[in-house]
């Protein structure tokens, strides 16, 4: 009896203990999950809105809190004696923006300006309304919140060309320290000096750079490239990369590391940095007689107009589309165009809005391959995948399938080896992923016929986009005002493939030929890769895969690579197309600089976000050097 009582007592006690432990473990799990979820796009990570405490005057006003503006504002506020105001047209990043795999879903949301190009003859025939989509970030962190996160700097020669065009201080050796200043590279092998004893990467900066979570597709595609004779690159950002390798990403522990997270989060408690969100800048205040910028005007989220003065400088970092728009609304731009629009007074006649460049890419080179044994479309939406992402950090949600592998090829013998003709990307839709097909169609802005055909095609096989992108485009577009209303979107004229000698379309066709050769590799044959055809009315009567067919297809599916630059061109005063000088000061205007991708005189050979962050770093450094001593 005593033994039985003891057993009963012990069992009861053990059960109670197990229950208590189970409750504790469950409570801990829920707490950890809640904290992990809170860390995604947590508004407490970003500066609070300073509109209620807005001052009448600041030392510096930064317009735009994007890829460059976040950097400039953060770096200037390191000087405690300066009051810095950052004006951003959007708000805080959302939780979903932290999840790399959800990148495509961020476009056409409140985080995106949702720009569209104008209709242009013979272009965008496969897109909605025959317009090209132009996503630009409208949020703290700007386009670094909605981009593919690829950390690609371009070629050494790109920056040497800038310097050789009269922009002293912008050679590769000049800008490399500013790339490294930002960077916190987590992949140890890239922190070692190369054979030339050059170290291209650094640790300890605010911007975390790490590797995407790999999948089997990148490995398969790389095997095909090596079979074709291309080099496997250990670092696509070193020297003169020619070949294929994996791109590092602006991520931290498998989550997006935007410039807002990298630069504004550490600065959010600085008393000398004020940030006003949902602040739409309508114009820069400029003294017409003295040609001195002395402040800005903006409208807040409630529609109230504010005028704020600055003692030292206004720095416009609103991006390739918004920066020229703001300048032109302020009376700085092509005199005839501003007069026709009704902007008065015209304070400075400069080629603002001209020189628009982009890496036009072709999205019509697609094929099926046998289904992955390791990945399934259901993995992308399963609760288990999200649970693991929240608890174990990097997993399938920490990548965009196919994107980590990229590479450069040279197809024109007259092109210097230092400047490749094409960059190649891959994007994968898993078998039966009709939701992904719809999302990708929305992302690429396919019209209903193209979208419907893609959704139907995603069946039992995986579906791959092999995307060639023109690196050194000869074609130029422009940004124009639609009216003098600052809330009226500007006109975007891309000019894709319009160069009179046809160099760009010939390069693009060679890129398509490259994808043909890629399909013929033994690696791709072993994966049963077969070409697939989009329905395109004008092309249907042409021989599929012929040169004439691809020429026709380019009119349908040659689109933006989301890399617009150049509309406030950097160059000496002797350059009639230059808007800013080598210190990014607007020609003829005192107290006004531009610091973003719009200042690039020529587009870099690669994704543009890393270069834009570098521009922000260098701009802040130049500003400090001028004003700290004063």
């Amino acid at each position: 009896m005593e033994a039985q009582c003891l057993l009963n007592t012990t069992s009861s006690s053990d059960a109670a203990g197990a229950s208590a432990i189970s409750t504790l473990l469950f409570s801990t799990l829920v707490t950890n999950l809640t904290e992990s979820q809170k860390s995604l796009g947590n508004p407490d990570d970003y500066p609070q809105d300073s509109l209620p405490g807005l001052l009448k005057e600041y030392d510096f006003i930064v317009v735009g809190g994007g890829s460059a503006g976040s950097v400039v504002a953060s770096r200037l506020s390191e000087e405690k004696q300066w009051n810095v105001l950052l004006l951003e047209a959007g708000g805080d990043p959302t939780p979903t923006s932290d999840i790399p795999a959800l990148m495509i879903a961020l476009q056409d949301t409140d985080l995106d300006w949702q720009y569209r190009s104008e209709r242009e003859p013979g272009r965008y025939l496969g897109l909605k309304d025959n317009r090209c989509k132009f996503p630009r970030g409208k949020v703290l962190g700007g386009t670094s919140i909605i981009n593919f996160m690829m950390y690609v700097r371009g070629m050494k020669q790109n920056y040497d060309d800038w310097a050789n065009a009269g922009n002293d201080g912008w050679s590769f050796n000049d800008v490399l320290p500013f790339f490294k200043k930002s960077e916190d590279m987590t992949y140890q092998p890239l922190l070692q000096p190369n054979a030339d004893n050059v170290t291209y990467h650094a640790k300890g900066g605010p911007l975390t750079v790490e590797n995407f979570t790999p999948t089997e597709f990148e490995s398969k595609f790389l095997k095909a490239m090596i079979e074709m004779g291309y080099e496997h690159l250990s670092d696509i950002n070193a020297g003169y990369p020619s070949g294929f390798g994996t791109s590092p990403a602006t991520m931290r522990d498998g989550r997006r590391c935007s410039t807002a997270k990298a630069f504004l989060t550490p600065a959010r408690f600085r008393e000398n940095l004020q940030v006003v969100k949902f602040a739409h800048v309508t114009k820069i205040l400029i003294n017409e007689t003295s040609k001195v910028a002395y402040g800005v005007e903006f409208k807040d989220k409630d529609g109230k107009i504010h005028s704020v003065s600055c003692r030292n400088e206004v720095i416009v970092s609103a991006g390739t589309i918004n920066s020229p728009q703001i300048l032109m609304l302020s009376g700085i731009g092509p005199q005839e165009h501003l007069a026709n629009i009704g902007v008065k007074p015209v304070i400075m006649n400069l080629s603002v809005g001209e020189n628009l460049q982009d890496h036009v890419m072709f999205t019509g080179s697609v094929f099926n391959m046998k289904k992955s044994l390791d990945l399934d479309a259901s993995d992308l939406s399963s609760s288990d995948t999200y649970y693991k992402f929240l608890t174990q950090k990097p997993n399938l949600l920490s990548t965009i399938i196919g994107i980590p592998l990229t590479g450069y090829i040279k197809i024109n013998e007259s092109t210097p080896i230092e400047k490749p003709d094409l960059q190649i990307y891959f994007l994968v839709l898993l078998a039966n992923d009709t939701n992904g097909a719809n999302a990708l169609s929305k992302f690429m802005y396919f019209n209903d016929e193209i979208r419907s055909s893609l959704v139907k095609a995603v069946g039992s096989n995986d579906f791959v986009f092999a995307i060639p992108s023109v690196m050194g485009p000869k074609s130029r577009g422009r940004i124009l005002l639609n009216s003098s209303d600052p809330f009226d979107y500007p006109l975007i004229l891309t000019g894709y493939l319009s160069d009179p000698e046809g160099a760009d379309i010939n390069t693009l066709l060679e890129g398509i030929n490259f994808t043909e050769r890629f399909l013929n590799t033994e690696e791709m044959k072993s994966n049963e890769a077969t070409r697939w055809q989009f329905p395109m009315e004008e092309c249907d009567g042409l021989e599929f895969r012929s040169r004439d067919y691809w020429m026709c297809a380019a009119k349908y599916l040659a689109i933006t690579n989301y890399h617009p630059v150049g509309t406030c061109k950097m160059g000496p005063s002797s350059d009639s197309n230059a808007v800013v000088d080598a210190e990014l000061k607007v020609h003829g205007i005192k107290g006004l600089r531009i610091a973003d991708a719009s200042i690039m005189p020529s587009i870099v050979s690669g994704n543009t976000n890393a270069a834009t962050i570098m521009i922000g770093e260098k701009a802040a450094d130049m500003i400090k050097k001028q004003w700290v001593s004063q």
Side-chain angles (χ1 to χ4, degrees):
M1 177 69 70
E2 287 183 6
Q4 183 65 43
C5 288
L6 181 61
L7 178 62
N8 289 341
T9 303
T10 304
S11 298
S12 176
S13 175
D14 285 349
S19 176
I21 292 172
S22 176
T23 301
L24 178 61
L25 287 174
F26 180 75
S27 176
T28 302
L29 174 62
V30 170
T31 300
N32 289 340
L33 280 173
T34 302
E35 289 302 314
S36 186
Q37 283 186 304
K38 282 172 63 179
S39 71
L40 293 175
N42 187 351
D44 292 339
D45 288 342
Y46 303 105
Q48 296 299 304
D49 197 313
S50 302
L51 184 62
L54 190 68
L55 305 177
K56 286 292 184 182
E57 187 177 54
Y58 294 83
D59 293 288
F60 297 94
I61 300 175
V62 182
V63 178
S67 292
S70 293
V71 181
V72 174
S74 178
R75 293 302 192 188
L76 294 184
S77 65
E78 290 172 346
E79 300 294 330
K80 296 180 180 180
Q81 72 274 23
W82 291 339
N83 284 323
V84 179
L85 174 64
L86 174 62
L87 299 171
E88 168 52 46
D92 292 330
T94 59
T96 50
S97 69
D98 266 3
I99 305 175
L102 300 186
M103 185 283 301
I104 288 175
L106 301 176
Q107 294 186 13
D108 288 333
T109 68
D110 289 342
L111 304 181
D112 179 12
W113 281 93
Q114 303 181 37
Y115 287 124
R116 305 289 185 264
S117 73
E118 296 302 298
R119 296 187 190 92
E120 299 177 56
R123 299 187 187 103
Y124 325 129
L125 301 185
L127 308 185
K128 288 183 181 180
D129 199 27
N130 298 144
R131 297 176 188 269
C132 188
K133 191 176 184 180
F134 255 74
R136 296 286 90 193
K138 188 180 183 182
V139 57
L140 285 178
T143 306
S144 74
I145 289 290
I146 64 173
N147 69 355
F148 278 92
M149 296 161 289
M150 297 173 74
Y151 185 79
V152 180
R153 295 172 176 174
M155 303 291 154
K156 178 180 186 296
Q157 191 61 45
N158 296 142
Y159 304 99
D160 290 346
D161 286 348
W162 292 5
N164 293 335
N167 298 299
D168 293 341
W170 289 89
S171 72
F172 182 74
N173 288 339
D174 291 321
V175 302
L176 180 58
F178 295 103
F179 279 115
K180 294 168 68 174
K181 182 178 182 179
S182 291
E183 191 180 34
D184 184 23
M185 170 57 72
T186 63
Y187 185 51
Q188 190 65 32
L190 296 188
L191 294 169
Q192 306 304 315
N194 67 359
D196 298 323
N197 202 33
V198 177
T199 305
Y200 286 99
H201 299 277
K203 196 161 184 64
L207 181 73
T208 307
V209 179
E210 64 186 26
N211 291 335
F212 282 106
T213 297
T215 71
E216 65 185 85
F217 289 97
E218 293 85 36
S219 176
K220 290 177 179 179
F221 299 155
L222 182 57
K223 286 179 182 178
M225 296 305 170
I226 293 173
E227 182 184 332
M228 293 172 71
Y230 290 100
E231 182 182 353
H232 177 198
L233 301 173
S234 59
D235 183 2
I236 63 169
N237 288 307
Y240 305 106
S242 178
F244 286 78
T246 53
S247 166
T250 50
M251 295 196 306
R252 182 180 296 161
D253 294 329
R255 303 179 181 191
R256 180 186 295 272
C257 185
S258 67
T259 56
K261 184 182 294 185
F263 291 90
L264 294 180
T265 297
R268 67 192 184 278
F269 298 126
R270 292 177 191 163
E271 294 183 357
N272 66 329
L273 174 63
Q274 290 191 303
V275 179
V276 178
K277 305 167 191 177
F278 304 105
H280 191 119
V281 172
T282 54
K283 66 178 177 179
I284 303 154
L285 302 175
I286 304 170
N287 186 298
E288 184 181 355
T289 304
S290 65
K291 304 290 193 294
V292 174
Y294 63 88
V296 299
E297 181 181 278
F298 72 91
K299 182 178 283 191
D300 67 23
K301 61 184 176 182
D302 295 322
K304 183 179 178 181
I305 297 290
H306 302 263
S307 294
V308 186
S309 298
C310 71
R311 283 182 282 270
N312 295 340
E313 291 188 24
V314 175
I315 301 99
V316 179
S317 299
T320 297
I321 297 173
N322 293 86
S323 285
Q325 181 191 25
I326 292 170
L327 259 64
M328 288 189 281
L329 289 170
S330 307
I332 302 172
Q335 186 169 1
E336 184 177 353
H337 173 58
L338 298 189
N340 290 339
I341 290 294
V343 173
K344 296 179 181 179
V346 177
I347 296 173
M348 186 59 61
N349 180 23
L350 293 173
S351 297
V352 175
E354 303 293 331
N355 194 48
L356 175 63
Q357 300 164 58
D358 196 354
H359 294 137
V360 62
M361 68 179 184
F362 180 66
T363 59
S365 179
V366 293
F367 57 91
N368 291 302
M369 59 188 290
K370 67 181 181 183
K371 185 184 182 306
S372 164
L373 297 177
D374 298 327
L375 295 175
D376 191 88
S378 61
D379 295 334
L380 293 169
S381 57
S382 74
S383 57
D384 185 54
T385 300
Y386 281 86
Y387 169 78
K388 289 179 179 178
F389 178 81
L390 290 173
T391 56
Q392 300 174 10
K393 301 294 174 66
N395 68 357
L396 186 58
L397 296 178
S398 301
T399 195
I400 303 165
I401 303 175
I403 279 293
L405 181 71
T406 189
Y408 297 99
I409 63 174
K410 178 177 176 291
I411 50 90
N412 190 335
E413 289 303 318
S414 64
T415 303
I417 188 64
E418 298 88 351
K419 295 173 69 175
D421 299 295
L422 290 155
Q423 186 176 6
I424 307 295
Y425 303 91
F426 297 94
L427 196 57
V428 178
L429 283 173
L430 296 176
N432 300 310
D433 188 6
T434 54
N435 289 334
N438 276 307
L440 188 62
S441 296
K442 183 179 179 182
F443 169 72
M444 292 181 171
Y445 212 49
F446 290 156
N447 63 26
D448 288 342
E449 183 182 24
I450 298 287
R451 179 197 59 79
S452 178
S453 67
L454 179 60
V455 172
K456 290 177 182 177
V458 179
S460 58
N461 293 328
D462 294 325
F463 204 84
V464 180
F465 287 76
I467 303 173
S469 179
V470 177
M471 284 296 95
K474 303 293 189 294
S475 304
R476 296 291 184 268
R478 62 197 306 208
I479 303 293
L480 296 170
L481 292 180
N482 198 20
S483 74
S484 59
D485 182 352
F487 294 91
D488 198 355
Y489 277 11
L491 305 177
I492 302 172
L493 302 165
T494 68
Y496 292 154
L497 308 178
S498 65
D499 66 296
E501 296 181 358
D504 291 351
I505 183 62
N506 287 331
T507 299
L508 194 65
L509 290 172
E510 288 297 330
I512 297 170
N513 288 338
F514 166 86
T515 67
E516 290 278 317
R517 299 193 301 274
F518 171 79
L519 278 177
N520 286 327
T521 60
E522 293 303 316
E523 176 65 27
M524 286 297 100
K525 287 178 181 178
S526 70
N527 283 278
E528 302 173 7
T530 56
R531 178 71 78 179
W532 187 81
Q533 183 178 5
F534 279 112
M536 295 174 283
E537 184 177 356
E538 286 189 22
C539 313
D540 289 344
L542 301 172
E543 180 186 351
F544 182 42
R545 302 167 80 166
S546 68
R547 179 181 174 86
D548 287 343
Y549 175 84
W550 292 125
M551 284 275 288
C552 178
K555 295 192 294 185
Y556 279 78
L557 296 172
I559 68 171
T560 178
N561 199 358
Y562 318 106
H563 299 160
V565 307
T567 51
C568 296
K569 180 185 178 183
M570 175 173 62
S573 57
S574 58
D575 182 347
S576 61
N577 291 319
V579 175
V580 301
D581 65 16
E583 293 187 329
L584 308 187
K585 297 177 180 179
V586 175
H587 286 296
I589 304 292
K590 296 178 181 178
L592 180 61
R593 295 192 210 222
I594 314 296
D596 55 34
S598 72
I599 66 96
M600 294 187 193
S602 53
I603 194 167
V604 296
S605 300
N607 309 69
T608 52
N609 193 55
T612 304
I613 295 169
M614 176 277 292
I615 289 168
E617 286 279 24
K618 185 166 171 58
D621 184 75
M622 290 188 292
I623 293 167
K624 285 183 176 183
K625 284 181 177 177
Q626 175 176 335
W627 291 100
V628 166
S629 61
Q630 298 182 26

